[in-house]
Amino acid sequence: MSRSPARDRAERFRALHRGRAPGDPLVLPGPWDAASARVLEAAGFPALATPSAGIAASLGYADGTTPADEMFAAVARITRAVDVPVSADVEGGYGLGAAELVERLLEAGAVGCNLEDSEQGVLKDPHEHAGFLAEVREAAAGRLFVNARVDTFVHGDGDPGQAVERAASYVAAGADCVYPILAPVEVLPLLRAGIKGPLNVLAGLDGDGPGPAALGGLGATRITFGPGLQRRAEAGLREIVGGLPA
């Protein structure tokens, strides 16, 4: 039986995470629309990862309030605009069942997804969330790279031990990567030591904290920037139009 094109694309995306040398993490900048995606592809990045907050801003929504249909449509416009693989941040999954979530991601052309383990600022039960991740993995049948976000440092008490425990549950459920968002730099070696598999770390821009190479040296397998690029572009536009007559 021949492999599906979606599975082949996801496997190529997985391969980008393997065998990374310390100090050489996979850097995945975040496009918020088709134009920004094309700029990032032209710059030579081998893959991209959409930020939900950046897309929300581009569509006129506050972070976390984008309707599912609009988010998937935005992701589809981005994937159509570029040839490199695109992973999509779909927040907590919009209340969709695993099979429907997977189908909508594949229809949008995504090769992977971020899934948060909190809802409305409250951490989910890690065992229940691990069960959902396992359902997503089963429905995807290898066609999606699942990045499980761990929200201990943003909505929990910031205990690294709890982050490691939650991450272990998600890896056991089949997550390809875990993302302890906003983890302090000083705890990254501890997280790296306790978490199996790829580790996603959020980076700042232009000297705002350690750069990708330094974070890679601390254990990051891959680097994302959240909505950082979109917000920097918005600030640049604001500066430009500030000099124009109104």
Side-chain angles (χ1 to χ4, degrees), residues 23-230:
D24 182 32
L26 174 64
V27 177
L28 299 175
W32 57 95
D33 60 12
S36 60
R38 284 177 171 163
V39 169
L40 297 173
E41 180 185 43
F45 291 99
L48 308 174
T50 68
S52 61
I55 288 180
S58 74
L59 296 175
Y61 293 102
D63 185 20
T65 67
T66 308
D69 288 350
E70 294 197 45
M71 182 63 76
F72 287 114
V75 171
R77 287 191 292 271
I78 289 170
T79 63
R80 285 197 299 267
V82 296
D83 292 326
V84 297
V86 178
S87 181
D89 182 350
V90 288
E91 302 175 308
Y94 307 110
L96 301 174
E100 184 177 359
L101 176 62
V102 167
E103 187 62 29
R104 298 202 67 175
L105 282 162
L106 293 174
E107 287 177 352
V111 301
C113 63
N114 278 12
L115 286 169
E116 303 170 2
D117 70 344
S118 66
E119 185 175 4
Q120 296 182 340
V122 178
L123 290 174
K124 298 177 181 178
D125 178 276
H127 302 294
E128 292 180 3
H129 188 61
F132 177 64
L133 293 174
E135 292 175 0
V136 170
R137 284 284 297 174
E138 182 178 4
R143 295 173 294 171
L144 290 174
F145 182 102
V146 177
N147 187 36
R149 205 178 92 172
V150 179
D151 286 359
T152 305
F153 298 100
V154 60
H155 295 309
D157 61 7
D159 176 15
Q162 183 185 139
V164 169
E165 289 178 6
R166 295 177 81 89
S169 295
Y170 305 157
V171 171
D176 295 284
C177 184
V178 292
Y179 178 19
I181 188 171
L182 295 182
V185 172
E186 59 269 19
V187 306
L188 290 181
L190 178 62
L191 297 177
R192 176 69 286 170
I195 294 174
K196 295 181 180 180
L199 183 66
N200 190 143
V201 174
L202 180 69
L205 296 167
D206 297 339
D208 182 16
L215 291 172
L218 292 170
T221 309
R222 78 181 211 177
I223 301 294
T224 53
F225 303 95
L229 289 170
Q230 182 273 328

